[in-house]
Amino acid sequence: MYFYTFFPSFLYNINIYICYHILLGGEYNLEDHIVRKVLVFGISLLFVGVSVVVPNLNGNITRSSSIQTLKVSTESLGEMIAYQNYSHTVFVGVATSQNCPPCHTWNQDIHDAYVSGLYDFEYVEMIEFAHNGSVLNYKAHDWASGYNVNQWPTSIFDRDYERIAGNNTGALPGALDACGNRTVEDIIANMTLLWLGNATIEVNITIQNNEEAQYNGHILAFITEIVSRYDTDGGDPYHFGFLDFAFDKNISIDAGGEYTDSTVWNGNDHGDAHGDNFGDITEGNIQVTMIVFKNDEYLDETVSARMAANNPPYVPGEPFPPNGATDVDLGIDLSWIGGDPDGDPVTYDVYFNSSSPPSQVAWNKTGAMYDPGILDYETTYYWRIVAWDDFGASTGGATWSFTTTNHTELKVSIIKPMNKSFYLRNIRLFPLPRNIIVYGPIDITVNTTSSIGIESVDLYINEKLVETFTEESFSYRWAPILCSRYTIRVIAFDENGGQAEDQIIVFKWRVHPLLILAGSLILLKFRPRILRHLL
């Protein structure tokens, strides 16, 4: 806090000069750091009467008119500094000019007050004129003209609730306090900024009306450079130098309602009165300050936001197949784990080849999976993933590898009923020298082998397709009615389009089981040559 807040002006200048000269060794300069001012202030209070800041019961900041001797400790000074309960964040718009010597001093002093943290306020330097006196920014000029500014600098507090013409630094604390203790509408605003790259920002706002009546007002959102491209008459850069408005519009919010809005501002599309665009703005040097007010009234809310730092995507990990895997199927799909710490949408570039480093094969994939097609047998493949967020930040993963399986021929076989066997109701009773004979229902069981996976298996009986399976092994319950000779055939297809088949001949009997049992005993008793003769 500036110490001339507390001193009568004639005592302030004398004491500051004496204490600074004796204790710090040098001539007094108003532009010195605020910490030195605090030191001088504390020492000076030991010798002079002061008008001190005291709180009233309503929580506002007032000043006592009494003069008394006050011994100030570090603790009590800290309590006074911390005691601030403004009804809202005060807004100060400064009409200023590059060819104005007092504007140089004011730029330094108001910034000192801002960075001290002793006052709850935001400010924007509305730089109207260039060094040669020509208009520098038409919107800044129009804003100042709306307040009939005729002296520079002129600071407008809360839309002209208070005003300071010139670089009257001693009036700054009182103006801030007067505005900060005003009664305002219960309006709460929030704002976020997103950097989209190429000098482009997205501004998102939310305004909550906590009043019991509809709020009809206006919003102004000042886009500023924290360290301005424009300098003062003294050669120092302005702070929070105005560039353009992100919002300049009327709003209406129902009682208890909420207003949301969003806009995208591209610096390449905007510029100053000299034809220089703002396409060179940088992500870390932008602040947007928005004020909310009713038309022709003082403001009710101030909010500011800076660019949130963007974090790049996570490093792609957990590859499948795992790094170094062997005996991998030829039809494998690649997958991985990705994402972004900020929750931003992520896309992936895929690098894949049988040589290292792999070459890029896919761009901007939204899912964490890639189908490389049918691979070659006994081949080592290399792959890598690069993740991108929608702000242009990227993170590359490690190079992984895997080796495909050895070549295994596609095979299919009917394993039940077995050749040269007699089956009674799905049970193999005894072997036969030839043929397959079945009595009653039987489960036709098929088995396949393939290194790349089975696409399907078709089951035919007497050249009629009766079932299609997608499993490598399966059973089919067959219960024919007619006694006859049947041809059972299966055709298997792998995922590479290859096929294999197997076929058997089955004789279906419908003889009574007792006769079958008797015949079985006879067959077991006689020699095989007789059995062969009967069959």
Side-chain angles (χ1 to χ4, degrees):
M1 183 175 290
Y2 291 99
F3 308 116
Y4 34 78
T5 306
F6 306 94
F7 288 88
S9 60
F10 68 95
L11 289 176
Y12 172 80
N13 291 321
I14 293 173
N15 281 282
I16 290 297
Y17 179 84
I18 293 173
C19 293
Y20 185 90
H21 187 81
I22 294 173
L23 296 177
L24 301 178
E27 296 185 0
Y28 170 67
N29 185 341
L30 184 61
E31 302 165 6
D32 283 289
H33 194 274
I34 197 165
V35 174
R36 292 187 175 183
K37 295 179 182 179
V38 171
L39 175 62
V40 173
F41 167 66
I43 296 172
S44 300
L45 287 176
L46 299 175
F47 303 105
V48 301
V50 296
S51 174
V52 298
V53 176
V54 295
N56 64 17
L57 295 178
N58 295 323
N60 296 327
I61 295 178
T62 60
R63 286 175 173 74
S64 170
S65 59
S66 64
I67 302 296
Q68 58 181 324
T69 301
L70 179 65
K71 183 178 180 180
V72 180
S73 68
T74 303
E75 181 180 0
S76 60
L77 180 62
E79 290 175 353
M80 287 193 296
I81 291 174
Y83 189 83
Q84 183 186 139
N85 188 25
Y86 284 179
S87 62
H88 66 291
T89 298
V90 177
F91 176 75
V92 185
V94 182
T96 186
S97 172
Q98 286 187 287
N99 63 355
C100 158
C103 296
H104 168 75
T105 303
W106 184 250
N107 172 63
Q108 293 178 319
D109 290 343
I110 195 171
H111 187 65
D112 282 347
Y114 180 81
V115 299
S116 75
L118 304 181
Y119 299 96
D120 181 11
F121 78 102
E122 297 289 343
Y123 77 100
V124 174
E125 297 274 12
M126 304 296 284
I127 311 168
E128 284 190 75
F129 302 105
H131 287 288
N132 61 7
S134 62
V135 174
L136 180 63
N137 188 303
Y138 287 116
K139 291 183 179 180
H141 182 57
D142 292 342
W143 177 89
S145 298
Y147 291 101
N148 297 315
V149 171
N150 55 20
Q151 180 180 349
W152 292 266
T154 292
S155 300
I156 308 297
F157 294 73
D158 277 4
R159 299 194 71 248
D160 227 8
Y161 187 82
E162 292 284 338
R163 162 186 303 227
I164 296 177
N167 60 336
N168 183 5
T169 312
L172 179 58
L176 290 170
D177 290 347
C179 292
N181 290 322
R182 290 191 303 108
T183 299
V184 297
E185 300 280 351
D186 191 357
I187 300 295
I188 299 177
N190 289 287
M191 177 167 53
T192 60
L193 308 182
L194 293 176
W195 178 259
L196 304 182
N198 191 28
T200 304
I201 60 175
E202 179 180 298
V203 185
N204 300 284
I205 62 171
T206 301
I207 305 172
Q208 179 70 38
N209 176 18
N210 295 319
E211 295 289 341
E212 296 180 355
Q214 186 177 48
Y215 187 91
N216 298 311
H218 197 91
I219 54 175
L220 275 180
F222 301 78
I223 300 175
T224 69
E225 287 181 310
I226 299 170
V227 178
S228 177
R229 67 189 59 215
Y230 304 114
D231 61 357
T232 66
D233 181 75
D236 294 330
Y238 278 104
H239 302 283
F240 305 107
F242 174 75
L243 298 179
D244 194 13
F245 291 115
F247 289 105
D248 183 0
K249 62 191 300 186
N250 292 322
I251 61 170
S252 181
I253 314 174
D254 292 335
E258 184 177 86
Y259 173 85
T260 61
D261 206 345
S262 177
T263 188
V264 174
W265 183 88
N266 188 333
N268 294 286
D269 300 332
H270 303 274
D272 60 22
H274 295 175
D276 297 323
N277 70 32
F278 304 134
D280 57 347
I281 62 171
T282 57
E283 178 181 359
N285 193 39
I286 293 295
Q287 175 171 305
V288 178
T289 300
M290 184 178 71
I291 60 175
V292 185
F293 56 91
K294 290 183 177 180
N295 293 321
D296 301 323
E297 294 186 24
Y298 306 121
L299 68 81
D300 294 306
E301 174 72 322
T302 303
V303 65
S304 65
R306 298 186 184 184
M307 217 72 63
N310 177 57
N311 295 299
Y314 292 123
V315 177
E318 299 186 30
F320 182 82
N323 186 36
T326 58
D327 199 30
V328 175
D329 288 345
L330 304 186
I332 193 74
D333 286 339
L334 311 181
S335 64
W336 59 92
I337 299 297
D340 186 272
D342 303 323
D344 301 329
V346 178
T347 58
Y348 302 97
D349 293 343
V350 181
Y351 295 76
F352 181 83
N353 210 328
S354 58
S355 61
S356 183
S359 55
Q360 188 169 0
V361 294
W363 290 257
N364 300 321
K365 288 186 64 65
T366 56
M369 181 176 290
Y370 174 71
D371 179 5
I374 301 301
L375 305 177
D376 295 331
Y377 289 105
E378 303 177 55
T379 303
T380 298
Y381 289 93
Y382 302 88
W383 61 299
R384 178 173 178 263
I385 304 298
V386 177
W388 295 84
D389 67 15
D390 55 359
F391 297 103
S394 65
T395 303
T399 297
W400 302 310
S401 68
F402 63 88
T403 302
T404 53
T405 186
N406 297 332
H407 177 69
T408 301
E409 183 180 357
L410 171 64
K411 295 180 180 180
V412 61
S413 59
I414 302 172
I415 60 176
K416 185 179 181 181
M418 292 176 59
N419 195 26
K420 300 178 182 181
S421 300
F422 183 90
Y423 286 84
L424 174 61
R425 296 189 180 277
N426 208 34
I427 299 174
R428 184 174 183 265
L429 288 182
F430 49 81
L432 297 174
R434 62 184 179 186
N435 297 333
I436 302 171
I437 299 174
V438 300
Y439 178 87
I442 191 169
D443 292 333
I444 300 173
T445 305
V446 177
N447 188 43
T448 63
T449 57
S450 171
S451 59
I452 62 173
I454 297 298
E455 184 72 25
S456 64
V457 179
D458 293 339
L459 172 63
Y460 293 85
I461 299 178
N462 287 346
E463 301 304 319
K464 179 182 179 181
L465 179 65
V466 296
E467 195 68 74
T468 296
F469 300 89
T470 56
E471 298 88 356
E472 293 186 357
S473 299
F474 64 89
S475 293
Y476 175 79
R477 173 55 66 106
W478 180 48
I481 298 176
L482 299 177
C483 294
S484 181
R485 178 181 185 273
Y486 292 89
T487 301
I488 300 176
R489 184 162 65 100
V490 289
I491 304 176
F493 301 89
D494 64 21
E495 294 179 353
N496 200 21
Q499 68 180 61
E501 66 177 84
D502 190 21
Q503 177 177 298
I504 60 173
I505 303 298
V506 176
F507 292 92
K508 179 66 173 71
W509 281 12
R510 287 183 57 81
V511 182
H512 194 277
L514 292 177
L515 295 177
I516 296 175
L517 180 59
S520 299
L521 294 174
I522 294 172
L523 288 173
L524 292 173
K525 183 176 181 180
F526 289 98
R527 293 185 303 176
R529 62 184 179 86
I530 299 175
L531 185 60
R532 286 196 301 271
H533 177 74
L534 292 175
L535 294 174

